[in-house]
Amino acid sequence: MDQPTLQQDLVSASPARKRVLITGIAGFVGSNLVEYLLDAFPGKLAIFGITANADTPHLAAMQDHPDLTLRRLQLENAAGLNAAVAEIRPDFIFHLAAQSFVGPAISNPGLTLNTNINITLNLFEAVRQAGLAEHTRLLNAGSGDQYGFIQPENLPVREDTPFRPGNPYAVSKIAQEMLGYQYSRSYKMPIFNTRAFNHLGPRQSDQLAAGAFARQIAQAEAGQIEPVIRVGNLQARRDYTDVRDVVRAYWLALQPEIAGHSGCLPGEPYNICSGRAFSMQEILEKLIGLARLPLEVSPDPARMRPSDLPEVVGDNTRFRQATGWQPAIPLEKSLADLLDYWRSAVKAS
């Protein structure tokens, strides 16, 4: 029996619709999560999304769905968040909201630290003050970037690898995870900490390398720029997982039992990754192979980072053993869908 059927059974076993709250619902991961839930569990979930943005193009095809309710709310607004959580009384929360880009984190570290730590604290307190501390199962989305300056002898990276954070975003995510651990122990809150490594697929921002490549190819195809792809370091190797496999993993992380698997433990960390590394050169070549015109590649000093680890690859054994999850979408499809997304975005611009 495949995983979607097993997950469907988990929801249909309950006579009442489960209530799902997603922070950061309008982002890359959040929009893919809501799309997955609406497709996998039609009519079985009441999904509530919180976004700080009035403009939500990633949700354009879903925002009128009868199972989805959107709320515009700043998570820094503790009183407003308390009221929303008390009213919704969610069974599941996916906490995806964050300032998640390394560049802005380096240029404005205080904003990133204050935002990511304080909105997480506000959310945990809202759940606790609503009397849902032992009821609501909460996904606290962390990052493989928390490991930072990984030593070659630590590859593939396991959950017990020491943190050596390389930027303020990573520091904020470590603090967010520690809050999850503390609240799970202090208040018996079922908070599940994940560390997702690089992920890609439709709706990925051009602030990340694969998205930047895809956007430039789409612009070149549309005649908006010269057929030249500007690139940074192409030798770095990274562990990539399709975002749709990542959001499926997030759903499984909150389930108490999955087809004979014990499920995840509250407060403990779990790597979400493919266990395979690809160089940026390979990513670029695969995207260029999908292009509709010949392209040149030109190094761009502005895209070079002052320090770049040669290789990052994770070990997903702990999560696989807890849930039975396996990444299912091949890299080639991830890249094809990413490029098609940017073709549509460029055409609409």
Side-chain angles (χ1 to χ4, degrees):
M1 189 179 293
D2 60 15
Q3 285 185 337
T5 303
L6 293 171
Q7 294 168 62
Q8 191 81 32
D9 290 342
L10 288 168
V11 176
S12 61
S14 173
R17 287 206 303 169
K18 297 291 186 181
R19 290 174 164 248
V20 176
L21 176 62
I22 304 172
T23 71
I25 194 171
F28 168 47
V29 180
S31 60
N32 276 282
L33 174 61
V34 70
E35 185 173 47
Y36 165 71
L37 295 177
L38 291 173
D39 289 346
F41 312 116
K44 298 186 182 300
L45 299 175
I47 302 171
F48 299 84
I50 290 179
T51 176
N53 302 316
D55 187 23
T56 56
H58 288 347
L59 299 174
M62 298 171 274
Q63 60 188 8
D64 295 327
H65 196 287
D67 292 339
L68 177 62
T69 302
L70 296 179
R71 292 196 177 193
R72 188 180 178 194
L73 176 67
Q74 295 278 354
L75 296 180
E76 292 87 347
N77 178 355
L81 184 57
N82 287 349
V85 170
E87 179 185 347
I88 295 168
R89 301 191 67 80
D91 299 287
F92 302 111
I93 294 177
F94 295 90
H95 179 38
L96 309 180
Q99 192 305 98
S100 57
F101 296 113
V102 172
I106 292 173
S107 62
N108 193 344
L111 178 63
T112 295
L113 288 164
N114 287 332
T115 297
N116 293 353
I117 296 171
N118 287 334
I119 65 175
T120 301
L121 178 62
N122 287 349
L123 180 62
F124 291 175
E125 278 295 296
V127 172
R128 192 172 70 87
Q129 293 180 27
L132 299 171
E134 297 185 36
H135 168 77
T136 301
R137 301 175 74 82
L138 191 151
L139 189 287
N140 192 27
S143 169
D145 207 28
Q146 293 170 214
Y147 295 109
F149 296 106
I150 298 166
Q151 305 301 307
E153 62 268 21
N154 291 138
L155 295 176
V157 181
R158 293 159 41 97
E159 288 83 355
D160 57 2
T161 300
F163 291 146
R164 300 182 180 94
N167 58 71
Y169 166 69
V171 173
S172 76
K173 282 297 184 178
I174 292 169
Q176 179 178 323
E177 181 180 304
M178 292 300 100
L179 275 174
Y181 177 81
Q182 185 252 307
Y183 270 68
S184 71
R185 293 297 298 267
S186 298
Y187 305 112
K188 298 182 180 179
M189 292 175 64
I191 297 173
F192 299 88
N193 292 317
T194 57
R195 300 171 185 167
F197 286 56
N198 297 66
H199 34 291
L200 47 72
R203 309 189 188 106
Q204 185 180 39
S205 168
D206 63 345
Q207 292 201 46
L208 301 172
F213 298 160
R215 179 174 184 174
Q216 290 179 81
I217 291 172
Q219 289 175 315
E221 290 177 343
Q224 296 181 4
I225 64 171
E226 294 181 358
V228 178
I229 308 302
R230 312 290 178 182
V231 303
N233 177 20
L234 296 179
Q235 304 312 308
R237 296 174 58 81
R238 295 293 181 264
D239 186 322
Y240 282 98
T241 306
D242 190 284
V243 65
R244 292 159 293 191
D245 280 330
V246 172
V247 300
R248 181 167 53 86
Y250 285 172
W251 172 255
L252 289 173
L254 296 189
Q255 307 310 314
E257 293 183 20
I258 304 122
H261 297 275
S262 60
C264 296
L265 296 174
E268 298 301 317
Y270 293 87
N271 287 342
I272 308 296
C273 56
S274 70
R276 296 177 61 196
F278 296 90
S279 71
M280 297 313 303
Q281 180 75 45
E282 291 175 280
I283 298 292
L284 177 60
E285 288 175 355
K286 290 179 184 295
L287 282 168
I288 288 177
L290 297 169
R292 297 167 179 166
L293 78 172
L295 294 163
E296 296 180 13
V297 176
S298 176
D300 182 356
R303 297 174 187 267
M304 299 289 183
R305 290 189 179 180
S307 62
D308 213 353
L309 291 175
E311 183 171 12
V312 176
V313 61
D315 184 331
N316 62 22
T317 302
R318 178 184 289 185
F319 189 70
R320 284 191 293 106
Q321 290 178 344
T323 66
W325 174 86
Q326 291 273 13
I329 300 173
L331 179 66
E332 289 74 15
K333 178 169 176 55
S334 303
L335 294 174
D337 291 349
L338 171 61
L339 181 54
D340 283 343
Y341 162 73
W342 273 110
R343 284 169 173 154
S344 296
V346 166
K347 184 178 180 181
S349 63

